[in-house]
Amino acid sequence: LAASTDRVFVHALKTVQAIPNTTTTRPPASDRMRLYGLYKQAMEGDVDGKTERPTAANATGSSSEEIVRERDKWDAWNSQKGLSRTEAKRCYIEVLIKTMRAYANTTSNALGLVAELEAVWNQAK
C-alpha cells in the first residue's frame, strides 16, 4: 500500500501545482496549515530535532508577523507528530480532496483535477 500511496501523493502534489490560485476560492488558513503540517510530516517525519519552534529570541531579523507565520507553520507540522510518513501522505490526500471539493468549485478545471485525483486515490485504496 505504501507504494501506491506514494504514487497518489505525488499526483496530489502535482494537482495542487496545477490549480491556478487566481480562479479558485482560497481555503481558510486553518485548512492550508493542516495541509502544510501533513506535507512536512510526510516529507520529513517529526519536527523534533529538525528545527526549533520560532520565537522572537531565535528568529533574528524577522518581523513579528513573520515570526507568527513561521510559528504557525511549525505548530502545524508538530501537530502531526507521531504519524508515519505513509500515514501522513494518506491523510494529506484525504484532506486535500475534501478541501478541494469545498473550495475548488469556481472552475471546471479545478473540479476536473480533484475528480481525477479522487479516482486515482480510490483505485489505490
Side-chain angles (χ1 to χ4, degrees), residues 44-119:
E44 299 183 44
D46 289 348
V47 72
D48 289 352
K50 298 202 172 50
T51 180
E52 286 183 38
R53 188 172 190 260
T55 64
N58 68 15
T60 54
S62 297
S63 71
S64 58
E65 270 182 29
E66 288 173 303
I67 294 168
V68 168
R69 188 166 50 246
E70 290 304 310
R71 189 179 306 144
D72 287 349
K73 288 166 79 173
W74 192 95
D75 289 346
W77 183 3
N78 191 52
S79 72
Q80 305 303 329
K81 183 177 179 175
L83 273 185
S84 72
R85 291 169 79 162
T86 298
E87 189 58 30
K89 288 174 184 177
R90 293 182 74 232
C91 289
Y92 179 92
I93 295 162
E94 297 278 347
V95 171
L96 179 65
I97 290 170
K98 186 177 171 188
T99 302
M100 285 179 66
R101 281 261 171 248
Y103 297 101
N105 55 10
T106 55
T107 66
S108 59
N109 180 37
L111 286 175
L113 288 168
V114 70
E116 181 186 337
L117 174 60
E118 203 165 15

